[in-house]
Amino acid sequence: MTTAFLVDAERGQALWSINTLTRVLAGADSTEGAMGVWEWRGTSAGNPPLHVHHREDEAFYLLEGRITFEVGEERLHASAGDFVFAPRDLPHRFAVESAEARMLVLVTPGGFERFFAAVGRPAESSGLPPLERPDPEALARAAAPYGVDILGPPIG
């Protein structure tokens, strides 16, 4: 049975992953598979490629900054306080439009949060990581076990 828990502002699994800081707050292991929740912080250097999740729905609540999302045929311009939903099996990607952005991301069911540990490393500070050029083929291989297909480049 899942029990109640609190992740305070100083905790969570902080990862440097694909030029972003990702702080995992809850995952499949702590929610009996129900959801994954993380805080995402990044710049345009962390814009993800066009991809599709086949196992989970994904939701984004923008806390700071401006981000343009492409979900299927929709182009959605979001700013702090806005919410975006990307259902499973619908290709999507996003582009940070401000100097930096921060959002809360939720997937149901959980499990995809493990991807960030698979392609990243523990954060060495609370800041963003040094910039690295992502290898699209390596990302595609890493995403496949999580039911995610990489379909194209980031926006721009």
Side-chain angles (χ1 to χ4, degrees):
M1 171 180 229
T2 302
T3 60
F5 62 90
L6 172 114
V7 179
D8 67 36
E10 303 302 316
R11 302 207 192 277
Q13 181 186 22
L15 301 163
W16 280 348
S17 179
I18 318 170
N19 294 322
T20 70
L21 176 65
T22 300
R23 188 168 67 103
V24 178
L25 304 171
D29 295 338
S30 59
T31 66
E32 291 189 1
M35 69 180 71
V37 181
W38 57 89
E39 179 184 358
W40 181 98
R41 184 174 148 217
T43 66
S44 60
N47 291 348
L50 181 65
H51 63 284
V52 61
H53 297 256
H54 296 292
R55 297 180 187 161
E56 58 272 320
D57 298 317
E58 192 168 22
F60 308 89
Y61 180 73
L62 196 54
L63 300 167
E64 297 174 4
R66 292 181 319 281
I67 298 178
T68 296
F69 290 83
E70 288 182 358
V71 182
E73 299 297 318
E74 300 290 326
R75 192 173 188 98
L76 309 166
H77 302 281
S79 57
D82 291 343
F83 176 85
V84 174
F85 179 68
R88 72 188 73 195
D89 293 323
L90 198 58
H92 61 282
R93 59 187 167 182
F94 61 81
V96 174
E97 303 292 345
S98 49
E100 190 174 299
R102 190 168 65 92
M103 63 184 159
L104 189 65
V105 182
L106 181 132
V107 296
T108 57
F112 184 67
E113 68 282 348
R114 296 174 183 137
F115 168 79
F116 300 106
V119 300
R121 65 183 190 275
E124 297 171 19
S125 74
S126 61
L128 294 174
L131 292 180
E132 297 179 353
R133 186 171 183 84
D135 176 351
E137 291 177 9
L139 279 179
R141 284 191 304 274
Y146 298 96
V148 174
D149 294 326
I150 306 296
L151 304 174
I155 295 174

